Amino acid sequence: MELLVSLALLVVGLIIGFFIGRFVQTKTGGSSAAQTEQQVKEILAQQAQHHIHQTRQSLEGIEGQCETLKQQIEEYEALLTQSSDDDDAKVPFYGEQATSYLRNNLKGSEKSKVNKVSDTQPKDFANSGSGLFVGGSEQSTADKS
């Protein structure tokens, strides 16, 4: 009987220990969930700060490119207005003096051209007796023997 009482007390102790452990676990588990939630919030806050930092860097880069583009457009407009103003002020490549000079030289060169006809015909180098290929057939027969 002593054995039976000690076994019964052991079972009751296990049941009471089980419920006490479960109660303690839920109590600390609730704080664990709060800690986990706090850690998740901290991670999200760090990620948000990193995202804001990257966005600001991208925005600064875009603003720099916009400023460069504005400067290039202003320079291009200045070149366009400058070239349209310079067209009126420029002297043509061939001025009046150059045109008259060229006219006089072209008329004089036409008068000085004389058709020269020579009485002799140019040599025909394709002909065997023209002197270009003289002795070629003798050398080729000497090389073969």
Side-chain angles (χ1 to χ4, degrees), residues 86-112:
D86 289 344
D87 287 342
D88 298 335
K90 284 186 180 177
V91 177
F93 180 72
Y94 291 109
E96 293 178 20
Q97 295 86 8
T99 306
S100 62
Y101 176 77
L102 289 174
R103 270 192 220 131
N104 290 334
N105 282 343
L106 289 177
K107 288 180 182 177
S109 64
E110 289 174 1
K111 293 177 184 176
S112 65

Side-chain angles (χ1 to χ4, degrees), residues 3 8 13 19 28 71 84 138:
L3 186 62
F19 285 113
T28 59
Q71 289 175 352
S84 65
E138 295 172 2

